[in-house]
Amino acid sequence: MRSAVRRSVRCLVQAKFHLPCVGRFGFTPPRTAFAKRKRSFFMNKTLKLAFTALLTALAVVANIFTIPLTPNFSKVISFTVVFAFLAGIYLGIFPAFAVGFLGDLLAHFIHPLGAYNWFVTLASALTGVICALVYKLPLKNRLVKLLIASAICFVACSCTFNTFGLWLQIIVGVDPGPIGLIEFFKMDKTGIEKSFWVYLAGRVPVQLLNWLVNVVIIAAIQQSKVLDKLFAKIQLNSQQKKEAPAEK
């Protein structure tokens, strides 16, 4: 009689809380279930932090090995977009911002290529953020998302922030940062030999080529689903390790 009552109570509790049949009395208490979810959350944060650090390191290397097409580095071929986009696609907004921002900042201190340009760093950070935001759109085709994110980043980051920062540094001759920007607004602009729009027109063909190369690489990685399989495998192994003690 007691065993029948116990089984009835166990079934009611399981049905109420949707709990698995583990533990001494055939179910996991609510507090234990919450603790497991909490541990899972922190494990996911740890993995995300690890992959953010990895992509940041790769972005630093990509920045260091930027291929200059002109002596003043106004036209280059760089693969930093790949890692900022991968962070945006798979890790989210804040990791993507960190990969873009730190990838450019650390590369400058490790291997400086001239004066530090705040606008280039800002463009690198926004590249990852824009990608992460676009990939939150309710579109099933990830290739379409990639093309949308690339188009927005090309206009907003490469043609606007990046080009403006280099124009200030190379053509105008002021510090490419907040102080230089204030100085630019106060100065007499009649002596500037090349306008921003002329300078932009000269950069656009190379920037288009640079983005085309990066988008092809990102599309190949995305469509092959290599990282999808890797993250799924890591998550599965992590889940199995957490469930093993409970089963014992």
Side-chain angles (χ1 to χ4, degrees):
M1 183 67 180
R2 288 182 179 178
S3 60
V5 172
R6 184 179 296 176
R7 282 196 300 269
S8 300
V9 172
R10 182 177 61 192
C11 292
L12 288 173
V13 173
Q14 289 172 358
K16 176 69 175 177
F17 295 102
H18 305 285
L19 298 172
C21 297
V22 296
R24 182 178 176 183
F25 298 105
F27 64 94
T28 303
R31 180 174 293 181
T32 306
F34 174 77
K36 286 187 175 182
R37 289 196 295 271
K38 191 174 181 181
R39 284 200 300 270
S40 177
F41 173 74
F42 282 111
M43 177 61 71
N44 289 335
K45 283 183 64 176
T46 303
L47 290 173
K48 185 176 288 188
L49 183 62
F51 280 107
T52 301
L54 175 61
L55 289 175
T56 300
L58 292 173
V60 170
V61 173
N63 264 301
I64 291 174
F65 289 97
T66 293
I67 304 171
L69 301 181
T70 56
N72 58 10
F73 285 86
S74 63
K75 300 174 183 178
V76 299
I77 298 295
S78 174
F79 300 102
T80 55
V81 172
V82 172
F83 305 108
F85 261 55
L86 291 179
I89 294 169
Y90 293 101
L91 302 179
I93 296 173
F94 295 108
F97 178 87
V99 170
F101 182 83
L102 294 176
D104 190 80
L105 181 66
L106 295 177
H108 171 75
F109 288 112
I110 295 172
H111 185 69
L113 300 174
Y116 178 66
N117 197 313
W118 285 86
F119 293 95
V120 174
T121 302
L122 179 61
S124 299
L126 286 178
T127 297
V129 171
I130 291 171
C131 175
L133 290 173
V134 170
Y135 269 76
K136 289 182 176 294
L137 295 175
L139 299 174
K140 293 183 179 180
N141 194 326
R142 293 202 301 175
L143 196 56
V144 173
K145 292 182 180 180
L146 175 60
L147 295 176
I148 294 173
S150 301
I152 296 173
C153 289
F154 176 76
V155 175
C157 300
S158 292
C159 294
T160 305
F161 289 104
N162 198 305
T163 302
F164 183 72
L166 292 172
W167 178 71
L168 283 180
Q169 182 178 6
I170 298 170
I171 305 300
V172 181
V174 298
D175 178 64
I179 297 175
L181 187 62
I182 296 172
E183 183 181 341
F184 167 73
F185 283 117
K186 291 181 178 180
M187 69 183 294
D188 180 16
K189 302 175 182 62
T190 55
I192 300 175
E193 60 180 18
K194 187 183 292 185
S195 69
F196 169 77
W197 300 108
V198 173
Y199 183 72
L200 172 63
R203 292 191 78 234
V204 165
V206 176
Q207 289 301 301
L208 279 173
L209 175 62
N210 183 63
W211 271 94
L212 178 62
V213 172
N214 280 272
V215 168
V216 168
I217 295 173
I218 298 165
I221 296 172
Q222 176 182 265
Q223 297 306 109
S224 67
K225 297 185 178 179
V226 173
L227 291 180
D228 298 76
K229 295 174 183 177
L230 176 62
F231 289 139
K233 186 176 181 180
I234 292 174
Q235 189 67 24
L236 179 61
N237 291 340
S238 174
Q239 192 68 26
Q240 289 175 345
K241 288 180 181 178
K242 287 185 293 183
E243 291 177 354
E247 293 176 355
K248 292 180 180 179

